[in-house]
Amino acid sequence: FYVIFMKCRFIKTILKKCELVDGLSFVLDSYGDYRIIYTATDNKNLTKTETVTISAKDKVAPMIILNDTHSVLHGKVNQEIKLPTVVVLDNATPYIDIRLSCMVIAPNGSIVSLVAEVNDQYSKIFTYTPEAAGQYTIIYLAIDHAENRTMKVLTLLVNEV
């Protein structure tokens, strides 16, 4: 008997051939599909093969960290507001590849998608200038390679100047 462990990911194949023993185990070193091929050959050189596929899926959503822990922000009409600096962490997706967006829902229901300024290689800053007094909703959304997503919602209360 022997077993071949094969992992195919990004056109890379890893093969490991080993003797079949009780308690045979292996470590999944990353997310993806692993194929285990069991092959047995008898003393008459007859061979039988069975294949099992194990999928290791990323089910962990990214984490959004803001440098300001207040869930309610305050601002004034027609004055630029620097929103909290945001850092996104994930268990499997590199920071640079996490999709991060920030949207503002104005009191009249209109939605504005903001463009980030890169603060440094790990954090981003968004700014917004409200045009009317009222309550705004700020939504940060992070999505990783496996389409896991997380949101952070803040309230922005805007007063007249």
Side-chain angles (χ1 to χ4, degrees):
F1 288 94
Y2 66 90
V3 181
I4 297 175
F5 297 94
M6 180 169 45
K7 179 178 178 264
C8 298
R9 185 175 185 219
F10 305 117
I11 316 171
K12 177 177 143 186
T13 302
I14 301 168
L15 296 175
K16 181 180 180 185
K17 183 176 177 178
C18 59
E19 295 298 319
L20 183 61
V21 296
D22 276 344
L24 182 64
S25 65
F26 65 101
V27 176
L28 304 178
D29 61 356
S30 61
Y31 295 107
D33 292 329
Y34 292 78
R35 194 171 5 166
I36 303 171
I37 304 168
Y38 295 92
T39 302
T41 305
D42 66 13
N43 58 1
K44 293 183 182 172
N45 242 4
L46 297 173
T47 301
K48 175 72 174 164
T49 301
E50 291 291 329
T51 302
V52 176
T53 301
I54 298 173
S55 293
K57 298 194 184 294
D58 176 10
K59 300 272 188 188
V60 179
M63 186 169 51
I64 297 173
I65 302 168
L66 303 176
N67 73 336
D68 183 345
T69 58
H70 296 92
S71 60
V72 178
L73 306 172
H74 298 275
K76 298 199 180 290
V77 173
N78 294 322
Q79 289 186 1
E80 183 178 79
I81 298 166
K82 181 179 168 187
L83 301 177
T85 301
V86 61
V87 174
V88 182
L89 302 174
D90 190 61
N91 65 318
T93 304
Y95 174 77
I96 195 85
D97 296 328
I98 298 171
R99 291 175 286 167
L100 174 67
S101 59
C102 182
M103 296 158 278
V104 177
I105 303 173
N108 66 4
S110 65
I111 300 172
V112 176
S113 182
L114 303 180
V115 176
E117 301 171 23
V118 176
N119 188 42
D120 58 35
Q121 72 180 41
Y122 297 108
S123 64
K124 294 183 180 175
I125 298 172
F126 294 91
T127 58
Y128 180 68
T129 304
E131 297 175 355
Q135 181 173 313
Y136 292 73
T137 301
I138 300 165
I139 302 170
Y140 292 96
L141 175 65
I143 304 171
D144 68 13
H145 276 159
E147 297 299 318
N148 298 311
R149 55 193 69 217
T150 191
M151 282 187 350
K152 185 87 71 162
V153 179
L154 305 176
T155 300
L156 171 61
L157 299 177
V158 177
N159 297 318
E160 295 290 336
V161 178

